[in-house]
Amino acid sequence: MIEKILQQVQDGTLTAAEAKEKLATYENLGFVKIDHHRKKRVGFAEIVFGEGKTSAQILAIVQSLRQRNESVLVTRISQEKAQFIREQYPEMQYHEAARILAWKNEETSVADNKGYIAVVCAGTSDLPVAEEAAVTAETLGCNVKRVYDVGVAGLHRLLDNIETIQGATATVVVAGMEGALPSVVGGLIGNPIFAVPTSVGYGANFNGLSALLTMLNSCASGISVVNIDNGFGAAYNAVLINQLAYKGAESN
Amino acid sequence: MIEKILQQVQDGTLTAAEAKEKLATYENLGFVKIDHHRKKRVGFAEIVFGEGKTSAQILAIVQSLRQRNESVLVTRISQEKAQFIREQYPEMQYHEAARILAWKNEETSVADNKGYIAVVCAGTSDLPVAEEAAVTAETLGCNVKRVYDVGVAGLHRLLDNIETIQGATATVVVAGMEGALPSVVGGLIGNPIFAVPTSVGYGANFNGLSALLTMLNSCASGISVVNIDNGFGAAYNAVLINQLAYKGAESN
Amino acid sequence: MIEKILQQVQDGTLTAAEAKEKLATYENLGFVKIDHHRKKRVGFAEIVFGEGKTSAQILAIVQSLRQRNESVLVTRISQEKAQFIREQYPEMQYHEAARILAWKNEETSVADNKGYIAVVCAGTSDLPVAEEAAVTAETLGCNVKRVYDVGVAGLHRLLDNIETIQGATATVVVAGMEGALPSVVGGLIGNPIFAVPTSVGYGANFNGLSALLTMLNSCASGISVVNIDNGFGAAYNAVLINQLAYKGAESN
Amino acid sequence: MIEKILQQVQDGTLTAAEAKEKLATYENLGFVKIDHHRKKRVGFAEIVFGEGKTSAQILAIVQSLRQRNESVLVTRISQEKAQFIREQYPEMQYHEAARILAWKNEETSVADNKGYIAVVCAGTSDLPVAEEAAVTAETLGCNVKRVYDVGVAGLHRLLDNIETIQGATATVVVAGMEGALPSVVGGLIGNPIFAVPTSVGYGANFNGLSALLTMLNSCASGISVVNIDNGFGAAYNAVLINQLAYKGAESN
Amino acid sequence: MIEKILQQVQDGTLTAAEAKEKLATYENLGFVKIDHHRKKRVGFAEIVFGEGKTSAQILAIVQSLRQRNESVLVTRISQEKAQFIREQYPEMQYHEAARILAWKNEETSVADNKGYIAVVCAGTSDLPVAEEAAVTAETLGCNVKRVYDVGVAGLHRLLDNIETIQGATATVVVAGMEGALPSVVGGLIGNPIFAVPTSVGYGANFNGLSALLTMLNSCASGISVVNIDNGFGAAYNAVLINQLAYKGAESN
Amino acid sequence: MIEKILQQVQDGTLTAAEAKEKLATYENLGFVKIDHHRKKRVGFAEIVFGEGKTSAQILAIVQSLRQRNESVLVTRISQEKAQFIREQYPEMQYHEAARILAWKNEETSVADNKGYIAVVCAGTSDLPVAEEAAVTAETLGCNVKRVYDVGVAGLHRLLDNIETIQGATATVVVAGMEGALPSVVGGLIGNPIFAVPTSVGYGANFNGLSALLTMLNSCASGISVVNIDNGFGAAYNAVLINQLAYKGAESN
Amino acid sequence: MIEKILQQVQDGTLTAAEAKEKLATYENLGFVKIDHHRKKRVGFAEIVFGEGKTSAQILAIVQSLRQRNESVLVTRISQEKAQFIREQYPEMQYHEAARILAWKNEETSVADNKGYIAVVCAGTSDLPVAEEAAVTAETLGCNVKRVYDVGVAGLHRLLDNIETIQGATATVVVAGMEGALPSVVGGLIGNPIFAVPTSVGYGANFNGLSALLTMLNSCASGISVVNIDNGFGAAYNAVLINQLAYKGAESN
Amino acid sequence: MIEKILQQVQDGTLTAAEAKEKLATYENLGFVKIDHHRKKRVGFAEIVFGEGKTSAQILAIVQSLRQRNESVLVTRISQEKAQFIREQYPEMQYHEAARILAWKNEETSVADNKGYIAVVCAGTSDLPVAEEAAVTAETLGCNVKRVYDVGVAGLHRLLDNIETIQGATATVVVAGMEGALPSVVGGLIGNPIFAVPTSVGYGANFNGLSALLTMLNSCASGISVVNIDNGFGAAYNAVLINQLAYKGAESN
């Protein structure tokens, strides 16, 4: 491809400036392309991990995104920091349980209401992580059905809701303690499952290690795992798949 | 009590020899009593853990027990070692899958066919541990119902057999990989569950650590856990409970 | 069984409505039955794990249970949260050392004062976990004998109390630090032992891991283990067994 | 729905036998449905994990599947065991590097050559796991493009192949040692990545733990993780997604 | 021996009461003897581990010991709690760096100023643990020579003091971080070394695990290890040995 | 060498005093020499690790160094403690992000502005560790080029700065989370890399363990690793190498 | 001291050669002294750790020691390698259970038959480690009393032998599985205990980690710990103490 | 730079082909440059890690390198595989202790005999790793001085050789067991140390984890660490530094 561009320059059918732009694009193709892709698909150029950042640092990033009129999604942000940002951008919404601060530019939003993902969680203590997943998906423009408090110790609650889960394009399953829920759900449904271990538990739970190992060792097919408490990561994956299913891989 | 005995000696109503025997019993009461108790209940004075013992060492113990005409239960014994013992004691039976060598003195056996324990396992690879539990219980004189290959990834197989498990006095649940089965069973039945993690699995299973942690963190009530692959230990507990249920605590 | 029901409908000996109810029961048998069973036996439909729940969440659950006039048992609840609940339900009792808030409907209570369980602990620092076990058992209607501060480093204290432990239907043994107490008790008594490692210790204790491993590796028969600090779980198991021993397995 | 069926029986528009079949289906809907679903989608009712099974056990399963004329996929099977099976079923193909034995019933195969998944691996030592993924996907009827030996220590090899990876519907990334490859690939492409840590390495690799932790902690979005060496699991997920993308979620 | 006692009763040379006392002593010999032994040797019947005990609990124990006019040694006690005790017992001394509260009954004290133990530590951060060891030994009546801040990174400081260490009866070596000091000291001296890993460090130190493993793996002979930060335990051992060396084993 | 000195004394060509000095030097050569060496090279006799030291302890060390008019470098010191020291030594500078308090005696400083080291970090959360490295190197008299926020998830940012890194004499690479950056940098540059894992992350990061293992297992050559968060250690190594490169090994 | 020596040379009262020898001794005092000390005390200049050394390497060391007519102690040596050595030195004795090859020069032996150490072990599987301890001590010239197979699960066996243990100067306690024996023994005796965890066990034993942690966390005073399976190390310590007790610290 | 090239094409001062070559170089500069750099410096384009590769795979790589007449360095290769390669390339030399197969093209070799690195190891069991380091450095054209068997338990052996180590440009320190040697060496010398933990040890060594943690936590400055048993990696780093010291950073 380089050869062709250079030949055009030598032939005079392309100016040096035009050629440079083409080559620059080519060179950085791998890096730039993905950004455009991701933005086109999810409507967000950048997602901000709020934990460990100061209010001032977060504000600076938000300002930069808002100046370009882009949607904003900040995860793991405390109410205090969110309040600080909202003083300047009161249109941004803070989702307390999910610890997410977000604003969606509806014009550039890519949602088209096709399909949905299921967010399933085992106990009420897992709710913050489940909500991080659910709000992330909704902010990224994807429909969400919540199926909460359906842990394996009371199997009938799960079975009462199994059709909702079976109808999803992809499923996020959030569980702490022994983390057995994804295995059980995996035996009952056919869509891809993203399992999220939580740090909920005590003693031999070792801050989520127990649930993490359980999920990695699951006998059921169709399950993959993200980091402990990483509701965002699982939702991001599920949204990607919902878009693939409803827009097709050509939209890649 | 000592005072009373000594008074009887001083009074001449008890000889020194008689008093000595009484006191010896009193002194060692805690230690001796349990042995008699255990033997009376399970019909075995001693159970032999075969792993790490030579054929000669095992033979010596077996000889000692057989000379006193007592029942014999040797766990974790290879076919080679078992064959060596059986050359002298051909009436002993080797349970290959369970890796158990046993002989029961039917006269002193305490079994009376009341109640049963359920031995449940997740996959075919967990079978050796499940059989160690089942054969242990049977050799100790307890009825056993086996419910095998009912892992959580195919929940219907478990549900098809749930009434058998519900009808047991106590249940042994054996599972490797993610070890989620006890949690699910625990949500479906009311009798005490002894969970046995197995070392079956690979990678992040870490030789049974994953299943062990899962079981210790179970959300379901009524579950306690024994060491990885310790089918014997779980069965021993279950047998104790079946005897308590059918003979009452007075038999303690 | 389905066939029979349907035949009765076809025969006109059963209306569709009646048949539906029967089938619904059949279908959900596994899940519903256990709840009834458990309630019948322990007098509690649901036990609330208070840790990680807000005062408002706990209040909501308590209200729901009290409206159905059911007994209530909330574990791992701080004095502050308990006080909040007691403002509305002053008849509920807070057990400070055990961190338990409870109210027992004496009419539906199943206790009949037969038998008892022993709750044994090694040191005074293990007391909160031991009390969680003891109060749980008492609230579930079971007699309890406490044998505290009998760690293995002073064996005579244990031996002075061994007959109390031997007389129990089942025993809960609570120990932190090196966690050796269950092994020693296991060599002295014949009833089933539920071992509870505690997070008491420092350095190479690793928050209870040391005691947990010790108990899982115990050489003594008749011992099973629950999660670190899980006094509730051990007591629940012991109560089940006391009921089996005094009511028989038919009550299952 | 039960009510409607029963009404039909009472009305005489449905026999008891017909009703029973309908109800059975309904009852087991969750469990059966998935099997049909999965078979319809991937053309396989059951996939056999060969590790820890004897030749005789595997043969029995294969016979059962072949009698129903179904496709067969056996993973983690040694050449010796595969040879044993192939003596009876010479039409089955053994993929040595992948350690897979497979036969595909082309008539029921669901492949339609749309889209492809990329299987990327870091080093030649990771090849067996990468091949397990690639052959699994191919046997399940999905096109595969292999991009091997593109570890991060020689980034240009990866960048030379990045367009192939960007064009896939989903990507499997296999890496041992430090396991950094998924993070780097995740920064360059927009499709979902299933990361497979391998046990390749030594010393502080701890049999794949190092690579596993790296992947779980990845900063890049769109990555989820399966168990160490679990090439099959990652490929299964990727195939599900390719089918969603080309057949749509309605095929779920 | 029982026989002889009983014979004496029967012979009338011993009353029942006298016999009872003898038998009681015999029976409990193992347990009682040690307490007397220890007290005779170290002058303390009981040592109190203050951590995790309330001020009130500690006060109760101190009162009990003081009423019997016995020496008192409380370790791991905060300044606040110590102040609380000292309000009632102002003669007790609080050693701030060592976190020890002590009072020695000089009349029953067993110290005779023969020999000494060396307490060696690597860095100033290890000082609290070293002081716990030193003050423990001094309170138990043993001379102590402190050799502080002689970590292996500046070997000349250690070598400048090596003769002091060589002259001790036994040596306590306290070190955090990499914990290499006992190995180096072990290569330079001939008396028994009790190594104390401390939790001083960060990162891959893992709260003292690094130093603990280093000490357990030491190539040098004559080294044994106590728990992380357990200065008391090491000093207790060293004091025992100093007494053996200067009073002989007959004092055992 | 001893022989020669003694011979000179015997010959009268050396006085006893002169010989003593020579021998003393010889004896302590290993220990003394290094101090002089290090000071000559880096201009610092001693570097103070502030963590775990009180303000008073730090002040005492600073006073001692300032009295000898030596440069001072205190790492891991909080703003409060630094302020305390600066009240007496206002000329000392506190580097807040780096948590370093320093003063350089420009007369004895060894810097000569040849060469530079690169300090590279992955994310903004890693900045404190990166700054500890950068300020350490600068205080030791070495030029530093900072290349921050170039994590592997956005590879183009790294590649945009790769020439700066390639031009360094040695490189410090700081990364938390999955810690993949050193591997990628190691594949792109030829100078020695000192990798610093940070404790930045959550869940399966285990306080930096994940990044530490990643770096130790790196496939790229030319990488060595220091403790988690040890920016100082990495910088010290890099400075040593820059001096070797520009002053030659003779300066050793 | 240097000054004095040099002055003597200058004065002519000491030749250069004499002075050199004195200074050399002084210089290396720390290092050489210990060797002489140790040899004088235990009668062995060097002890050979056979594991990981070839037969040829061991032979070379043995030859060197025998040429100087010194006693020889080789630990962890297989029967094959021992046989190889014994072909040249048939007077050496191989202790099979202990895996020790030894020869004692009776002339230089320091044994004088005063006192003894007790070697206690829990189960027959721990015997090789116990024998390593016992044979080490005997070869070093110390009397040994063996108390084997007295695990805590059968406390009466231990109590039957407690007086033997109480009479020892120091005690080695060897235990695998849960490793509780040292805690129990520590509560019953007054002499110093060296605890040896063994790798005997399975599952959650983790190759001796369980027993190691148990021993480090022991509540009993007077216990210190050596590496897993390190019978030699414990015995070496016990022998040092027996010598201190019977020869006094002056022999140090 | 792109602009300038394109302008030259447009100006006709550069043909399209010439421009393409320039741009290709520019584009891939980062990746290609390092290879050239490394080759220029160490005389090796590629180093082969033999472990986990078949003889055929290694042979293929060797053939490729020899056809380009390049030097060859294969690490971790068994004698059998080496023999297989040497049948075709008998001029290659196998270093048995180091497990390295190598051939050096003396014409392109970059060695110029300036400076040397020291390879220090603690015990004879660490020799294979030390030799891997030493032979790697020699094959890369760097002088090596070996200082073996100088573990910290016998400090005088180390001190006798300290000047050799002090004279090196960089030092590789290899140690298993407790891994304390780098800390001690680090306190005695001024050149950069690359510490290599080995897997030599048993019990709580955990296959080198103990030594690894020790080295990462070293208090001494100037130490960085490579993976367990990675002698090659440490030597590679040391050689880089020797070249920087003697050729200067300009050669980078």
Side-chain angles (χ1 to χ4, degrees), chain G residues 92-113:
Chain G
M92 295 193 73
Q93 189 179 350
Y94 185 61
H95 304 266
E96 187 178 344
R99 293 163 302 169
I100 283 178
L101 181 72
W103 177 79
K104 194 157 53 169
N105 182 338
E106 295 295 344
E107 292 176 21
T108 64
S109 177
V110 299
D112 54 4
N113 284 313

Side-chain angles (χ1 to χ4, degrees), chain H:
Chain H
M1 187 185 174
I2 295 177
E3 203 155 8
K4 190 176 159 199
I5 292 173
L6 290 171
Q7 194 59 51
Q8 291 174 319
V9 175
Q10 207 171 19
D11 297 349
T13 59
L14 206 68
T15 66
E18 285 164 355
K20 185 193 161 196
E21 194 176 343
K22 286 205 172 187
L23 283 164
T25 305
Y26 174 73
E27 256 162 47
N28 294 312
L29 204 59
F31 325 121
V32 173
K33 194 167 123 189
I34 175 59
D35 285 352
H36 288 311
H37 247 121
R38 290 228 157 124
K39 189 182 170 183
K40 197 175 67 182
R41 177 172 290 151
V42 301
F44 283 83
E46 201 168 341
I47 290 154
V48 186
F49 184 69
E51 202 168 281
K53 293 203 178 67
T54 63
S55 297
Q57 287 176 316
I58 297 172
L59 182 59
I61 301 173
V62 169
Q63 281 172 330
S64 156
L65 290 166
R66 293 301 310 276
Q67 277 162 10
R68 284 179 282 153
N69 207 28
E70 286 180 3
S71 296
V72 180
L73 174 59
V74 188
T75 65
R76 304 276 174 97
I77 179 171
S78 67
Q79 192 150 27
E80 289 68 29
K81 290 182 186 172
Q83 190 53 38
F84 178 82
I85 309 295
R86 294 189 64 236
E87 279 165 21
Q88 289 222 15
Y89 297 98
E91 72 278 20
M92 295 193 74
Q93 189 180 352
Y94 184 62
H95 304 265
E96 188 178 343
R99 294 163 301 169
I100 282 178
L101 181 72
W103 178 79
K104 194 157 54 169
N105 181 339
E106 295 295 345
E107 291 176 21
T108 64
S109 177
V110 299
D112 52 6
N113 284 315
K114 283 184 189 157
Y116 67 91
I117 69 167
V119 176
V120 181
C121 86
T124 53
S125 310
D126 303 318
L127 203 133
V129 178
E131 276 299 295
E132 182 180 298
V135 173
T136 290
E138 289 170 341
T139 307
L140 295 178
C142 184
N143 296 320
V144 173
K145 295 200 180 174
R146 287 161 172 85
V147 182
Y148 286 2
D149 204 14
V150 293
V152 296
L155 211 53
H156 57 293
R157 291 177 301 179
L158 174 62
L159 295 175
D160 284 351
N161 291 280
I162 200 65
E163 296 200 3
T164 299
I165 308 176
Q166 284 171 333
T169 313
T171 302
V172 172
V173 182
V174 178
M177 308 292 279
E178 82 267 59
L181 188 56
S183 289
V184 174
V185 173
L188 299 173
I189 72 168
N191 59 61
I193 294 172
F194 296 96
V196 191
T198 74
S199 53
V200 169
Y202 64 94
N205 179 281
F206 298 120
N207 300 316
L209 176 63
S210 170
L212 173 63
L213 294 180
T214 303
M215 294 175 183
L216 286 168
N217 284 285
S218 178
C219 304
S221 298
I223 297 176
S224 59
V225 185
V226 298
N227 197 0
I228 297 163
D229 291 335
N230 188 8
F232 163 75
Y236 189 96
N237 280 304
V239 169
L240 280 185
I241 288 166
N242 194 58
Q243 291 176 332
L244 281 167
Y246 287 97
K247 303 190 173 173
E250 289 73 16
S251 72
N252 222 20

